[in-house]
Amino acid sequence: AQSVTQPDIHITVSEGASLELRCNYSYGATPYLFWYVQSPGQGLQLLLKYFSGDTLVQGIKGFEAEFKRSQSSFNLRKPSVHWSDAAEYFCAVGAGSNYQLIWGAGTKLIIKP
Amino acid sequence: NAGVTQTPKFQVLKTGQSMTLQCAQDMNHEYMSWYRQDPGMGLRLIHYSVGAGITDQGEVPNGYNVSRSTTEDFPLRLLSAAPSQTSVYFCASEDRGLGELFFGEGSRLTVL
């Protein structure tokens, strides 16, 4: 069965430091991969997506993610975080024509001043 | 741009009461869905629709009904509320069925 694992429930990072949020998935073929961000009290917003091609994808707000097939991972990175990046981040997997996404449990990002 | 609009934003119900969460989108998206979000569990799909007149069950459909009479609207009905339905509910729409979801701001429901 398809699944998505975000191993870190919370991550605390100092403002200006680099960030990496981990996402591992279980799926037989090449999936569609997504990162969404949820600011406090808000709905989710798409940060970036991978469908095919270049395994390093760029998203909004300075985020990027790298698809590594050998590790079944799609980790989210940002070189320098800002206080406004404090939010919860969700990794999701879609498979083929099935548009029903499988969601990770989320990682809450806390920014230290 | 309105995008996806959900109402109400907050609701308190007593066990056994019924209610409808409204969802409307103005992007002419064919696909719409309802999720519930519970702490530590990510989002779970309740029901979805691939177009007007077509609905199907997701991962956690029990206790909920949906209908899709127009492209724009996708209401979620709680038939007889239970405390286990206390959650934050999100409506989402997407354009091509490839997972690029547009979410509403959520409806926080408490069932006493």
Side-chain angles (χ1 to χ4, degrees):
Chain A
Q2 301 164 41
S3 65
V4 178
T5 302
Q6 293 181 247
D8 304 303
I9 298 174
H10 299 100
I11 280 189
T12 301
V13 176
S14 297
E15 189 169 15
S18 63
L19 170 71
E20 182 169 29
L21 302 182
R22 296 182 290 165
C23 173
N24 293 97
Y25 67 90
S26 172
Y27 180 64
T30 300
Y32 299 151
L33 296 160
F34 306 84
W35 276 100
Y36 282 82
V37 60
Q38 183 180 29
S39 298
Q42 300 294 314
L44 284 75
Q45 180 184 19
L46 179 66
L47 272 180
L48 48 77
K49 61 185 183 290
Y50 172 79
F51 287 170
S52 64
D54 192 346
T55 56
L56 184 64
V57 294
Q58 302 296 321
I60 62 171
K61 305 185 181 187
F63 286 91
E64 66 178 26
E66 186 171 12
F67 169 55
K68 292 186 177 180
R69 184 189 306 275
S70 61
Q71 299 177 18
S72 297
S73 70
F74 189 56
N75 294 349
L76 182 71
R77 301 193 295 248
K78 187 171 186 179
S80 176
V81 298
H82 185 262
W83 64 266
S84 59
D85 293 324
E88 191 156 18
Y89 292 80
F90 292 91
C91 182
V93 171
S97 61
N98 180 354
Y99 70 97
Q100 296 180 53
L101 300 184
I102 306 298
W103 296 84
T107 298
K108 187 172 183 178
L109 175 63
I110 300 164
I111 306 294
K112 287 193 302 185
Chain B
N1 293 336
V4 178
T5 303
Q6 288 181 236
T7 57
K9 292 191 186 309
F10 301 94
Q11 183 72 49
V12 178
L13 292 178
K14 295 181 180 178
T15 296
Q17 288 185 316
S18 63
M19 77 157 298
T20 299
L21 298 177
Q22 302 290 345
C23 177
Q25 54 96 4
D26 61 0
M27 296 173 282
N28 202 33
H29 288 169
E30 290 295 323
Y31 302 94
M32 296 186 73
S33 50
W34 276 102
Y35 290 88
R36 59 177 290 171
Q37 182 180 32
D38 302 291
M41 301 188 72
L43 278 76
R44 292 183 291 169
L45 182 65
I46 304 171
H47 284 285
Y48 65 97
S49 169
V50 299
I54 306 169
T55 64
D56 207 345
Q57 298 180 350
E59 180 185 358
V60 289
N62 292 341
Y64 307 95
N65 268 359
V66 292
S67 60
R68 186 93 180 273
S69 57
T70 66
T71 298
E72 294 77 21
D73 299 301
F74 191 44
L76 178 72
R77 297 181 185 84
L78 280 70
L79 308 173
S80 177
S84 61
Q85 294 178 304
T86 293
S87 188
V88 181
Y89 292 84
F90 288 96
C91 179
S93 72
E94 57 185 301
D95 188 11
R96 294 173 292 161
L98 293 178
E100 300 179 51
L101 297 168
F102 293 81
F103 283 85
E105 294 189 344
S107 299
R108 182 175 294 275
L109 175 66
T110 302
V111 183
L112 304 175

